Amino acid sequence: MKRLHVFVVSDAVGETGEQVARAVIRQFRPGYEYTVIRRFPHIQSEDLIRKIVSLAVKQQALILYTLVQAEMRSFLQALCKEQQIHAVDILGPILKTMATFIEETPTETPGIVHQLDDDYFKKIEAIEFAVKYDDGKDPRGLLQADIVIIGVSRTSKTPLSQYLAHKSYKVANVPLVPEVEPPEELFQIDASKCFGLVISPDQLNSIRKERLKALGLSDNAIYAQYHRISQEIQHFNKIAEKIGCQVIDVTNKAVEETANVIIGYMLNDR
């Protein structure tokens, strides 16, 4: 399989370009096999563009760019053509079409979407909330959360919490372990904002074995054994039923997919 290098060049943080890159790459390599995505944010000079294109030549990289200034887009495109590097303009065609459609001229202000507005501060607050109330650190956060996530270990509760936090949701998550009683607050919250994550025993066994190996431990530890996994899932089902929460099967699901399911439920409840 050919190794793929993708450079995301942006005059802001490059989040949009990277999301587009990942969405496209997943159509070819769902697990991003032999793929390296590198983000180059805050690029606002021709000198930096020259250096990036030079590096792209050496690594035979594909360049995706989100530059709002027409002059910078043209410069990068011309340089890539000269160096025979494939490049894709993500924002340019949309800006041109929009300008024609509404008969207005774009401001071409880099990073305007990330200006310090109310939405930005709401997102930062949500991210800080997710960190503070991650992994059941403080059960008081359950009563303040927009979303509460429960599940056994290694069901991606933390990555999911962070992803939802970037969508401005305050998320708290609680790991469920048979030997530890769940916090009382878990049974006091509105069940409609609580989501349980369940996964197939086979996939959980594989994930836990890999986790143990990464820690330099034996993959025969009880943590990854089927009887232990079965015990934890039974405990999870008992708690989820008691709460009355929505249960989502995350087997073979990406974090983004699970997040979209949860967001869908949240929007329908409004």
Side-chain angles (χ1 to χ4, degrees), residues 48-63:
L48 285 174
I49 288 178
R50 287 192 187 94
K51 291 177 180 178
I52 293 169
V53 172
S54 176
L55 185 60
V57 170
K58 292 178 182 177
Q59 297 186 12
Q60 285 300 291
L62 167 67
I63 294 180

Side-chain angles (χ1 to χ4, degrees), residues 15 22 107 200:
E15 182 179 3
R22 290 187 179 279
T107 64
S200 75

Side-chain angles (χ1 to χ4, degrees), residues 37-235:
I37 301 174
R38 186 172 177 184
R39 196 191 296 190
F40 294 86
H42 308 297
I43 304 301
Q44 299 182 30
S45 75
E46 293 183 356
D47 185 53
L48 285 174
I49 288 178
R50 287 192 187 94
K51 291 177 180 178
I52 293 169
V53 172
S54 176
L55 185 60
V57 170
K58 292 178 182 177
Q59 297 186 12
Q60 285 300 291
L62 167 67
I63 294 180
L64 305 184
Y65 57 98
T66 54
L67 301 171
V68 297
Q69 295 179 329
E71 185 178 346
M72 297 297 286
R73 292 199 303 273
S74 297
F75 180 79
L76 175 56
Q77 187 64 58
L79 195 56
C80 286
K81 184 176 182 180
E82 176 186 312
Q83 297 297 325
Q84 297 184 328
I85 289 294
H86 290 284
V88 179
D89 182 0
I90 295 174
L91 292 184
I94 302 173
L95 285 168
K96 185 177 180 180
T97 299
M98 181 69 74
T100 302
F101 183 71
I102 64 175
E103 299 180 342
E104 295 178 21
T105 303
T107 64
E108 297 191 354
T109 305
I112 196 170
V113 73
H114 293 287
Q115 287 183 344
L116 303 185
D117 55 17
D118 291 341
D119 288 339
Y120 175 85
F121 285 113
K122 185 178 179 182
K123 179 188 292 187
I124 295 301
E125 184 181 2
I127 293 171
E128 292 175 345
F129 186 95
V131 172
K132 184 176 181 179
Y133 298 110
D134 180 46
D135 209 30
K137 291 175 184 174
D138 186 346
R140 292 175 297 180
L142 299 176
L143 302 177
Q144 306 169 43
D146 299 319
I147 297 171
V148 174
I149 297 170
I150 62 172
V152 301
S153 174
R154 311 313 296 176
T155 48
S156 298
K157 296 184 298 298
T158 295
L160 178 59
S161 296
Q162 285 295 325
Y163 186 92
L164 289 167
H166 278 82
K167 301 294 183 182
S168 300
Y169 288 98
K170 292 182 179 179
V171 186
N173 72 76
V174 179
L176 297 182
V177 183
E179 294 79 12
V180 180
E181 283 295 318
E184 293 182 7
E185 289 88 346
L186 197 55
F187 305 102
Q188 298 172 4
I189 63 174
D190 183 347
S192 66
K193 74 174 185 179
C194 182
F195 298 88
L197 308 182
V198 69
I199 189 171
S200 75
D202 286 339
Q203 186 170 353
L204 188 55
N205 169 261
S206 177
I207 291 172
R208 289 189 174 184
K209 280 186 175 181
E210 290 302 316
R211 177 58 176 166
L212 288 170
K213 288 178 184 178
L215 294 173
L217 302 173
S218 169
D219 62 4
N220 290 322
I222 189 171
Y223 176 69
Q225 292 177 7
Y226 275 101
H227 72 85
R228 173 60 183 184
I229 289 173
S230 177
Q231 182 185 18
E232 290 187 31
I233 292 178
Q234 287 177 15
H235 177 67

